[in-house]
Amino acid sequence: MSAKTDVAILGASGYTGAELVRMLLGHPNVRIAALTADRKAGTTMADAFPQFYGVDLPRLVTIAEVDWSGIDAVFCALPHATTQAVLKGLPERIKIVDLSADFRLSDPAAYEYWYGAPHQAVELQKEAVYGITEFARDRVAKARLVANPGCYTTCSQLPVIPLLEAKAVDPDEIVVDAKSGVTGAGRSLKESNLFTEVSEGFHAYGVGHHRHMAELEEGFSRAAGRPVIPSFTPHLVPMNRGMLATVYLKPVGDHTPQSLHEILATRFAGEPFVHVLPFGTVPQTRHVRGTNRAHISVFADRRPGRAIVMCVIDNLVKGASGQAIQNLNVMMGWPETTALEAVGFFP
Amino acid sequence: MSAKTDVAILGASGYTGAELVRMLLGHPNVRIAALTADRKAGTTMADAFPQFYGVDLPRLVTIAEVDWSGIDAVFCALPHATTQAVLKGLPERIKIVDLSADFRLSDPAAYEYWYGAPHQAVELQKEAVYGITEFARDRVAKARLVANPGCYTTCSQLPVIPLLEAKAVDPDEIVVDAKSGVTGAGRSLKESNLFTEVSEGFHAYGVGHHRHMAELEEGFSRAAGRPVIPSFTPHLVPMNRGMLATVYLKPVGDHTPQSLHEILATRFAGEPFVHVLPFGTVPQTRHVRGTNRAHISVFADRRPGRAIVMCVIDNLVKGASGQAIQNLNVMMGWPETTALEAVGFFP
Amino acid sequence: MSAKTDVAILGASGYTGAELVRMLLGHPNVRIAALTADRKAGTTMADAFPQFYGVDLPRLVTIAEVDWSGIDAVFCALPHATTQAVLKGLPERIKIVDLSADFRLSDPAAYEYWYGAPHQAVELQKEAVYGITEFARDRVAKARLVANPGCYTTCSQLPVIPLLEAKAVDPDEIVVDAKSGVTGAGRSLKESNLFTEVSEGFHAYGVGHHRHMAELEEGFSRAAGRPVIPSFTPHLVPMNRGMLATVYLKPVGDHTPQSLHEILATRFAGEPFVHVLPFGTVPQTRHVRGTNRAHISVFADRRPGRAIVMCVIDNLVKGASGQAIQNLNVMMGWPETTALEAVGFFP
Amino acid sequence: MSAKTDVAILGASGYTGAELVRMLLGHPNVRIAALTADRKAGTTMADAFPQFYGVDLPRLVTIAEVDWSGIDAVFCALPHATTQAVLKGLPERIKIVDLSADFRLSDPAAYEYWYGAPHQAVELQKEAVYGITEFARDRVAKARLVANPGCYTTCSQLPVIPLLEAKAVDPDEIVVDAKSGVTGAGRSLKESNLFTEVSEGFHAYGVGHHRHMAELEEGFSRAAGRPVIPSFTPHLVPMNRGMLATVYLKPVGDHTPQSLHEILATRFAGEPFVHVLPFGTVPQTRHVRGTNRAHISVFADRRPGRAIVMCVIDNLVKGASGQAIQNLNVMMGWPETTALEAVGFFP
């Protein structure tokens, strides 16, 4: 028997799984009770990730092998589309943070459009709370299932949603030019993820039809109170971690770049993880690496009547596993920063 | 006596200098007659760049030591603002390609605004031809002094100027989000250029006030026939070479992303260095590395009524030394591709 | 008044300084009371290292400005040769961990030979304890001044010293081929540390005359009970952090690669930071990044009668700031792993 | 009809295949007549390698589809072990340079030991000439089939074989610590070759049992006139191209590091691709990138009576495709440097 909350991590042999393990090892209220990795079942976490050599952790098992009777909470880091069937089958008392895209879209039709198949767990989808924690804290606190947002959406929505809600920018004039490190593509074997194909080069991908757009548009539309479709282009940076969204905006009414900065600074004042830098200060991905932080800044554009907003996060932490733990902390009523306080290292 | 054209390279110990030497060594009409590097005078090119070990090249000398009597043409790769005095003093018969920014702005007032000091060679500035070769071939052919364009400007103007000239896009709705490798910063000692400060991270710089904007605006304005100010943000990619401009545009009238693609494909058909990829094909910087090529592509944006245009170049070649040689080839009446034919290597 | 120990960090604006701050922020017994950085005095730690944005830390001051009255312990991360005068002047009650090379050599003549000037604080030098913690725990516990070992020495001595002490390998047949990330060179402005000069390439440096050799030879000689001079070559890896020592050894007597593995496994059993991997398992620097860990392994060499031993560390942590904190923990009688427990992240 | 030699490249969609195409495009005597890539048959070289966009090249076909009637020479860049059957079936008049390991070992028993299966083309194996061009020029000139050496062997044997032949070093005291860029692993899909698994880290592989050892030992033994087994450890550097061999040697008799340098300088004087740098000058992989060059240097070791020799090459050029073209040039009686003259670029 444990006074701690027993947690299972499904899909522990991927990068987000490893990040969950790393951070939960420092969580005073959590015991890692089960780790699954269907293809690597039978081996250890240290086999998959030697940074855990010598650390006491349960062996990797298949999902079918998990004894759910003692599990209180689940982090689900399975591939997109494989998650619905698994989560549908879990006992109702278990709290879930799902890191896949499966429950992020509230509209089943939108899910089917973007993912090419009907949703397999429509009831659960209705119940799921989309959890950029800073925007959904109250609903996350009461949720059984939190759909943990994607990295691109987190990075793009954090600096823009408060401005849309304040009706400070024109919803039809949003350009999000986003750049991500390679861990965003996960650990899967694709020629395009080889070192030799990524290093010493730069390119965009998914131009005009990236799946993250659905999430992005839902959030922007909800904030604006009407349909919003931004320009959105993801790019691949030859680095492991980090994400930058450069957002071009058109302030409306009396708004100026400076007033946008004020809105964001006020909105995020007191937030432990979201820091609005002084006006015109360039945020860098390297300074939030390994942490749950977001650094946001606002700039005057030389193009008259325009503003530029930037946000950086670590795509694996605030963009995935860190925000997942932040959400669990809120769901469980624990201090929100538990296990997430560490400052990152640079270089 | 040499049947070849004797060429001097001023500022040979920087990266653009080394690139000029590398490519000119394969130029059948050129003899490298003088190499200057004021601080490294007395040493050899192989001391500064060991890739030239064993190659027969003149020693590095100061500019003052150059015997101009036999020199027919000069590549000037000196730092910005140091160039005007040097070029003013050269014999009139010498053809010049200047890689600095000193002669790129046709308006002396604009120069003074952006560079903080009056221009020192206003007469030369009037005479200088701004040389994106594909757009200025005829004037380059007759020029004595060509102002070789900056890398950001080349990369941004190549895909946009034909569209502005065709009045196919709204000049007030241009966003250029540009990304550059680190060689763009040259070989100078700045903390921000250290490996440890650049690697494993990504950030913007010069947001809202980068000097390349002046060049960019002049070119766009000339093409549009009226003042144009785009949004322009440069970013630093942790790689040595390569540049990508992601340009967000608003087609006007009946124009569509497809018709923009057609305009560009037609405009650059037959160009040896500028290749318009099939509609929707992502260009990658790594595929033009080490070459004078530009790869351009056009995409439909999911945002209604918008298009995305991308261009990749090697910032040191088409963005600097390669275009400089291309310009000299045109000035001398040589085949334009001489010494620039090599296909790049990847990885 | 604070129940915590007040600590000053001298030289906080370098990489080892930043690492000290990062880890000490998680130390329950320590309060960071003073941070010095002579050239950046007056600015904040977040100015020098934006990862600390929003973290409550004292401003950067000059060493002269420090009020020593409340300081209990000092980490000195000043450049080599500048440290002696500073430390000589400190009140006797202050415990010191010095990360420079100034007190690492016990022989003043050796210091003068390698550093080209007589030692300025010979009395302190005599008193200093050379602190690879695992080998000097008892003496560190009683020390006032610990000379924190260099990264190359830590990485090379950890796997070799137990073998020399056991007389299991021939002291005249040691080849240490070492590879380091670029942070080992610090944050100083040298052309050879530019991104463009380091990335996409590999080379050795200081071949045959690197200053770390003095430290290395002292430690090996002490362990062997007679003078030992190994072959030692450092190389620069295009990465930020990490160090690998590949050591070629000749087992003597009945010793075999397997028995060397056994000696090391036994010697380090129970050590919290030094892990001996199973025989023949390749250690990787990335798996100890950001941590105070060392991973060691032993291999049979195809060359008859030889063995290969490898050790990886993070040069900034076990090779510098982490070991410094480990040493302070021992000096203060605190649990040795305090503030050093976190598992590293990969990728 | 073509006055040029018609060449086929088997396995054109790998990295060595792409390098062959790149360099042969500049070869005045060669026409690329056929390109095979079994899995990508039907597509174009530009599909596999967009750097060739717009270049006139034959489509990729299967080996079975090649019309051999017009083919004069073949570069075979197929995976190890798949090559024997293919080459056995070629018309006798066709000259072959094989870049696989299949014909590198003269001893069929050694082949079977290292590759786990009997050789399928023993007659051809006997006929094959192992072609480090500088050591085998005369035999290459008369060969029908040249076994193009591996990158590790080329890099290690170039600086050591002349010393063994001169009996200047002890054959029993050779340590080769080698480091390679990631292209050495080819374009195949392995988790260990992902960007995320390679970047920001360093490690050895194949310790004590790498297949290149067979080749290495054969060459060293032939040069020494008796069996030689060196220590040999390959390491993976987070960069695309480049290889460094750091070799620890014991001069014998009156030999000194300086006399070893003299032997090498004399041996390679006049060689177009192998450059012996001044004594004690550190060679860097980046300075030979993209070229067929080797830079060699010699150092005094602080360990008494020892020397350190280093050699750098580009593993894909002098270590593979460049040397293959050099060998074809010799086989055909063309100037040996044809198509290989270009200086590399750095950065």
Side-chain angles (χ1 to χ4, degrees):
Chain A
M1 202 209 72
S2 158
K4 295 190 174 187
T5 294
D6 273 7
V7 165
I9 299 172
L10 311 186
S13 66
Y15 296 143
T16 53
E19 280 294 274
L20 287 166
V21 172
R22 169 177 77 90
M23 290 183 281
L24 291 176
L25 283 170
H27 199 304
N29 305 339
V30 162
R31 192 178 73 97
I32 299 174
L35 296 171
T36 84
D38 277 27
R39 276 177 309 177
K40 301 194 175 176
T43 67
T44 69
M45 196 64 188
D47 291 331
F49 288 106
Q51 66 263 36
F52 295 110
Y53 188 82
V55 177
D56 189 31
L57 284 169
R59 288 185 87 75
L60 298 173
V61 296
T62 64
I63 293 176
E65 292 172 298
V66 175
D67 171 9
W68 295 104
S69 64
I71 303 294
D72 307 304
V74 166
F75 290 101
C76 183
L78 298 172
H80 303 315
T82 68
T83 302
Q84 301 155 36
V86 172
L87 295 191
K88 211 163 46 172
L90 293 189
E92 292 238 353
R93 81 190 146 68
I94 295 181
K95 289 189 189 293
I96 305 168
V97 182
D98 179 32
L99 287 83
S100 84
D102 280 18
F103 294 92
R104 289 182 195 154
L105 300 185
S106 62
D107 176 8
Y111 180 87
E112 188 166 348
Y113 170 79
W114 285 96
Y115 291 90
H119 202 280
Q120 306 295 309
V122 176
E123 290 312 304
L124 264 185
Q125 192 184 18
K126 282 182 197 157
E127 184 189 336
V129 171
Y130 184 77
I132 295 187
T133 328
E134 285 75 10
F135 297 146
R137 203 165 263 136
D138 292 349
R139 285 179 301 129
V140 166
K142 299 176 204 143
R144 187 197 151 218
L145 166 58
V146 168
N148 209 57
C151 46
Y152 279 117
T153 334
T154 300
C155 193
S156 306
Q157 292 193 350
L158 274 175
V160 174
I161 286 211
L163 303 177
L164 286 171
E165 289 179 346
K167 308 217 173 297
V169 296
D170 183 342
D172 292 331
E173 292 282 340
I174 304 177
V175 173
V176 179
D177 193 278
K179 299 91 175 175
S180 173
V182 187
T183 48
R187 209 179 197 181
S188 60
L189 294 186
K190 288 192 219 160
E191 187 176 282
S192 55
N193 292 340
L194 293 176
F195 181 88
T196 45
E197 304 282 324
V198 172
S199 151
E200 264 296 300
F202 190 83
H203 64 283
Y205 64 99
V207 185
H209 57 79
H210 194 282
R211 281 173 177 177
H212 281 91
M213 289 180 183
E215 241 181 290
L216 198 55
E217 292 171 14
E218 266 209 8
F220 280 2
S221 300
R222 201 180 305 120
R226 64 143 168 106
V228 175
I229 298 180
S231 294
F232 171 72
T233 310
H235 299 76
L236 192 68
V237 185
M239 63 181 182
N240 281 320
R241 290 171 180 245
M243 176 168 283
L244 167 66
T246 309
V247 188
Y248 299 86
L249 295 169
K250 184 178 183 180
V252 293
D254 293 342
H255 280 289
T256 61
Q258 283 77 8
S259 73
L260 303 190
H261 183 259
E262 232 174 274
I263 291 170
L264 292 170
T266 305
R267 178 67 185 78
F268 293 117
E271 282 294 345
F273 299 121
V274 182
H275 295 267
V276 179
L277 305 183
F279 188 83
T281 304
V282 171
Q284 307 197 12
T285 63
R286 50 182 69 74
H287 298 135
V288 298
R289 188 169 58 223
T291 80
N292 201 46
R293 285 177 161 231
H295 283 184
I296 290 175
S297 196
V298 183
F299 303 82
D301 191 348
R302 189 167 141 78
R303 186 176 165 207
R306 303 287 172 143
I308 300 171
V309 176
M310 295 188 191
C311 180
V312 295
I313 61 170
D314 182 322
N315 55 299
L316 286 182
V317 189
K318 182 63 179 170
S321 305
Q323 184 152 263
I325 293 172
Q326 186 183 0
N327 279 326
L328 186 71
N329 286 341
V330 172
M331 292 163 90
M332 303 298 287
W334 299 330
E336 191 171 323
T337 59
T338 313
L340 300 170
E341 300 92 344
V343 173
F345 64 74
F346 158 73
Chain B
M1 207 209 69
S2 157
K4 297 190 171 186
T5 294
D6 274 9
V7 165
I9 299 172
L10 312 186
S13 67
Y15 295 143
T16 53
E19 281 294 273
L20 287 166
V21 172
R22 170 179 77 90
M23 291 183 281
L24 290 176
L25 282 170
H27 200 303
N29 305 339
V30 162
R31 194 178 72 97
I32 299 175
L35 296 171
T36 83
D38 277 27
R39 274 176 311 177
K40 299 194 174 175
T43 67
T44 70
M45 196 63 188
D47 292 332
F49 288 105
Q51 66 263 38
F52 296 111
Y53 189 82
V55 176
D56 189 32
L57 284 169
R59 289 185 87 77
L60 297 172
V61 297
T62 63
I63 293 176
E65 291 172 301
V66 175
D67 171 9
W68 296 104
S69 63
I71 303 294
D72 307 304
V74 165
F75 290 102
C76 182
L78 299 173
H80 303 315
T82 68
T83 301
Q84 301 155 38
V86 171
L87 295 191
K88 213 163 46 172
L90 293 189
E92 293 238 352
R93 87 195 138 67
I94 295 181
K95 290 190 188 291
I96 304 167
V97 182
D98 178 32
L99 287 85
S100 85
D102 281 18
F103 293 93
R104 289 184 195 154
L105 300 184
S106 63
D107 176 8
Y111 180 87
E112 187 165 351
Y113 170 79
W114 285 96
Y115 290 89
H119 202 280
Q120 306 294 308
V122 176
E123 289 311 304
L124 263 184
Q125 192 184 16
K126 281 184 196 156
E127 183 190 336
V129 171
Y130 184 76
I132 294 188
T133 327
E134 285 75 10
F135 297 146
R137 204 165 263 136
D138 293 349
R139 284 179 302 128
V140 167
K142 299 176 205 142
R144 190 201 148 212
L145 166 58
V146 168
N148 208 58
C151 46
Y152 278 118
T153 333
T154 299
C155 193
S156 306
Q157 294 193 349
L158 274 175
V160 174
I161 286 210
L163 303 177
L164 285 171
E165 289 178 347
K167 308 216 173 298
V169 296
D170 183 342
D172 291 332
E173 292 283 338
I174 303 176
V175 173
V176 179
D177 194 277
K179 298 89 175 175
S180 173
V182 187
T183 48
R187 209 178 195 180
S188 60
L189 293 186
K190 289 193 221 161
E191 188 177 280
S192 56
N193 292 338
L194 293 176
F195 181 89
T196 45
E197 305 281 324
V198 172
S199 150
E200 264 296 299
F202 190 83
H203 64 283
Y205 63 100
V207 186
H209 57 78
H210 194 280
R211 280 172 177 178
H212 280 92
M213 288 181 183
E215 243 181 289
L216 198 54
E217 292 171 14
E218 266 208 8
F220 281 2
S221 300
R222 203 181 303 119
R226 64 148 169 102
V228 175
I229 299 180
S231 293
F232 171 73
T233 310
H235 299 76
L236 193 68
V237 185
M239 64 181 180
N240 282 321
R241 288 171 181 246
M243 176 167 283
L244 166 66
T246 308
V247 188
Y248 299 86
L249 295 170
K250 185 178 183 179
V252 294
D254 293 341
H255 280 289
T256 62
Q258 284 76 8
S259 73
L260 303 191
H261 183 259
E262 230 174 274
I263 291 170
L264 292 171
T266 305
R267 177 68 184 75
F268 293 117
E271 282 293 345
F273 299 121
V274 182
H275 295 266
V276 179
L277 304 184
F279 187 84
T281 303
V282 172
Q284 306 196 13
T285 62
R286 50 182 69 73
H287 299 137
V288 299
R289 189 169 58 222
T291 80
N292 201 47
R293 286 177 160 231
H295 282 185
I296 290 175
S297 197
V298 183
F299 303 82
D301 192 347
R302 190 168 140 76
R303 185 178 166 206
R306 303 288 171 142
I308 301 171
V309 176
M310 294 190 191
C311 180
V312 294
I313 60 170
D314 182 322
N315 55 297
L316 286 183
V317 188
K318 183 62 180 171
S321 305
Q323 183 152 262
I325 293 172
Q326 187 183 359
N327 279 325
L328 185 72
N329 285 340
V330 172
M331 292 163 90
M332 302 298 288
W334 300 328
E336 192 172 323
T337 60
T338 314
L340 300 170
E341 300 92 343
V343 172
F345 64 74
F346 159 74
Chain C
M1 207 210 69
S2 156
K4 296 190 174 188
T5 294
D6 274 8
V7 164
I9 298 172
L10 311 186
S13 67
Y15 296 143
T16 53
E19 281 294 274
L20 287 166
V21 172
R22 169 177 78 89
M23 290 182 281
L24 290 176
L25 283 170
H27 200 302
N29 305 339
V30 162
R31 193 178 74 96
I32 299 174
L35 296 170
T36 83
D38 277 28
R39 274 177 309 177
K40 301 195 173 175
T43 68
T44 70
M45 196 63 188
D47 292 332
F49 288 105
Q51 66 263 38
F52 295 111
Y53 188 83
V55 176
D56 190 32
L57 283 169
R59 289 186 86 77
L60 297 173
V61 297
T62 63
I63 293 177
E65 291 172 299
V66 176
D67 171 9
W68 296 104
S69 64
I71 303 294
D72 307 304
V74 165
F75 290 102
C76 184
L78 299 172
H80 302 314
T82 68
T83 302
Q84 300 155 37
V86 171
L87 296 191
K88 211 162 47 170
L90 294 189
E92 292 237 353
R93 85 195 140 65
I94 295 181
K95 290 190 188 291
I96 305 168
V97 182
D98 179 32
L99 287 84
S100 83
D102 281 18
F103 294 93
R104 290 183 194 154
L105 300 185
S106 62
D107 176 8
Y111 181 87
E112 187 166 350
Y113 171 81
W114 284 97
Y115 291 90
H119 202 281
Q120 305 295 307
V122 175
E123 289 311 305
L124 264 185
Q125 193 184 17
K126 282 181 197 159
E127 183 189 337
V129 171
Y130 184 77
I132 294 187
T133 327
E134 286 75 11
F135 296 147
R137 203 165 262 138
D138 293 348
R139 285 179 300 130
V140 167
K142 299 175 205 144
R144 188 200 150 212
L145 166 59
V146 169
N148 209 58
C151 46
Y152 278 117
T153 333
T154 298
C155 193
S156 307
Q157 293 194 349
L158 274 176
V160 174
I161 286 212
L163 303 178
L164 285 171
E165 288 179 346
K167 308 220 174 292
V169 296
D170 184 342
D172 291 330
E173 292 281 339
I174 304 176
V175 173
V176 179
D177 193 278
K179 298 89 175 174
S180 173
V182 187
T183 48
R187 208 178 197 180
S188 61
L189 294 186
K190 288 192 221 160
E191 189 177 280
S192 56
N193 291 339
L194 294 176
F195 180 88
T196 44
E197 304 283 323
V198 171
S199 150
E200 265 294 299
F202 190 83
H203 63 283
Y205 62 101
V207 186
H209 56 77
H210 194 282
R211 281 172 177 179
H212 281 92
M213 289 181 184
E215 244 181 289
L216 197 55
E217 293 171 14
E218 267 209 8
F220 281 2
S221 300
R222 202 181 303 119
R226 64 150 170 102
V228 175
I229 299 180
S231 293
F232 171 72
T233 311
H235 299 77
L236 193 68
V237 185
M239 63 181 182
N240 281 320
R241 289 172 181 244
M243 176 168 283
L244 167 65
T246 309
V247 188
Y248 299 86
L249 295 170
K250 184 177 182 179
V252 293
D254 293 341
H255 280 289
T256 62
Q258 284 76 9
S259 73
L260 303 190
H261 183 259
E262 231 174 273
I263 291 170
L264 292 170
T266 305
R267 178 68 185 76
F268 293 117
E271 283 292 345
F273 298 121
V274 182
H275 296 267
V276 178
L277 305 183
F279 187 85
T281 303
V282 172
Q284 307 196 13
T285 62
R286 51 182 68 74
H287 299 137
V288 299
R289 188 170 57 221
T291 80
N292 201 46
R293 285 177 162 230
H295 283 186
I296 290 175
S297 196
V298 183
F299 303 82
D301 192 347
R302 190 168 140 76
R303 185 177 166 206
R306 302 289 172 142
I308 301 172
V309 176
M310 295 190 191
C311 180
V312 295
I313 60 170
D314 182 322
N315 55 299
L316 286 182
V317 188
K318 183 63 181 171
S321 305
Q323 183 151 263
I325 294 172
Q326 185 182 1
N327 279 326
L328 186 71
N329 286 340
V330 172
M331 292 163 89
M332 302 297 289
W334 300 328
E336 192 172 322
T337 60
T338 314
L340 300 170
E341 300 92 345
V343 173
F345 64 74
F346 159 73
Chain D
M1 205 209 70
S2 159
K4 296 190 173 188
T5 295
D6 274 7
V7 165
I9 298 171
L10 311 186
S13 67
Y15 295 143
T16 53
E19 281 295 273
L20 286 166
V21 172
R22 170 177 78 90
M23 290 183 282
L24 290 176
L25 282 170
H27 199 302
N29 305 340
V30 162
R31 192 178 74 97
I32 298 174
L35 296 171
T36 83
D38 277 27
R39 276 177 309 177
K40 300 195 174 175
T43 68
T44 69
M45 197 62 189
D47 292 331
F49 288 106
Q51 66 263 38
F52 295 112
Y53 189 81
V55 177
D56 190 31
L57 283 169
R59 288 185 88 76
L60 297 173
V61 297
T62 64
I63 294 177
E65 291 173 298
V66 175
D67 172 9
W68 297 103
S69 63
I71 303 295
D72 307 304
V74 165
F75 290 101
C76 183
L78 299 172
H80 302 314
T82 68
T83 301
Q84 300 155 35
V86 171
L87 295 192
K88 213 164 43 172
L90 294 188
E92 293 238 352
R93 87 194 138 66
I94 295 180
K95 290 189 187 292
I96 304 168
V97 182
D98 179 31
L99 287 83
S100 84
D102 281 18
F103 294 93
R104 289 183 195 154
L105 300 185
S106 62
D107 176 8
Y111 180 87
E112 188 165 351
Y113 171 79
W114 285 96
Y115 290 90
H119 203 280
Q120 306 295 309
V122 176
E123 289 312 304
L124 264 184
Q125 192 185 16
K126 281 182 199 159
E127 183 189 337
V129 171
Y130 184 77
I132 295 187
T133 327
E134 285 75 11
F135 296 147
R137 202 165 265 138
D138 293 348
R139 284 180 301 129
V140 166
K142 297 176 206 144
R144 186 199 149 211
L145 166 58
V146 168
N148 208 58
C151 46
Y152 278 117
T153 334
T154 299
C155 193
S156 306
Q157 292 193 350
L158 274 175
V160 174
I161 286 212
L163 303 177
L164 285 171
E165 289 179 346
K167 309 220 173 293
V169 295
D170 183 343
D172 291 331
E173 292 282 339
I174 304 177
V175 173
V176 179
D177 193 279
K179 299 91 175 173
S180 173
V182 187
T183 48
R187 209 179 195 180
S188 60
L189 294 186
K190 288 193 221 161
E191 188 176 281
S192 56
N193 292 338
L194 294 176
F195 181 89
T196 44
E197 303 283 323
V198 172
S199 147
E200 264 296 298
F202 190 82
H203 64 283
Y205 63 100
V207 185
H209 56 78
H210 194 282
R211 281 174 177 176
H212 281 91
M213 288 180 182
E215 241 181 291
L216 198 54
E217 292 171 14
E218 267 209 7
F220 281 2
S221 300
R222 201 180 304 121
R226 65 148 170 104
V228 175
I229 298 181
S231 294
F232 171 72
T233 310
H235 300 76
L236 193 67
V237 185
M239 64 180 181
N240 282 320
R241 290 172 181 245
M243 176 168 284
L244 166 66
T246 309
V247 188
Y248 300 86
L249 294 170
K250 184 178 183 180
V252 292
D254 292 343
H255 280 289
T256 62
Q258 284 77 9
S259 73
L260 303 190
H261 183 260
E262 231 175 274
I263 291 170
L264 292 170
T266 306
R267 178 67 184 78
F268 292 117
E271 282 294 345
F273 299 121
V274 181
H275 295 266
V276 178
L277 305 183
F279 187 84
T281 303
V282 171
Q284 306 196 13
T285 62
R286 51 183 69 75
H287 299 136
V288 299
R289 188 169 57 221
T291 81
N292 201 47
R293 286 176 162 231
H295 283 184
I296 290 175
S297 196
V298 184
F299 304 81
D301 192 348
R302 190 168 141 77
R303 187 178 165 206
R306 303 288 172 144
I308 301 172
V309 175
M310 295 189 190
C311 179
V312 295
I313 61 170
D314 182 321
N315 55 299
L316 286 182
V317 189
K318 183 62 180 170
S321 305
Q323 184 152 263
I325 293 172
Q326 185 183 2
N327 279 325
L328 185 72
N329 286 340
V330 173
M331 292 163 90
M332 302 298 288
W334 300 328
E336 191 172 323
T337 60
T338 313
L340 300 170
E341 299 93 343
V343 173
F345 64 74
F346 159 73

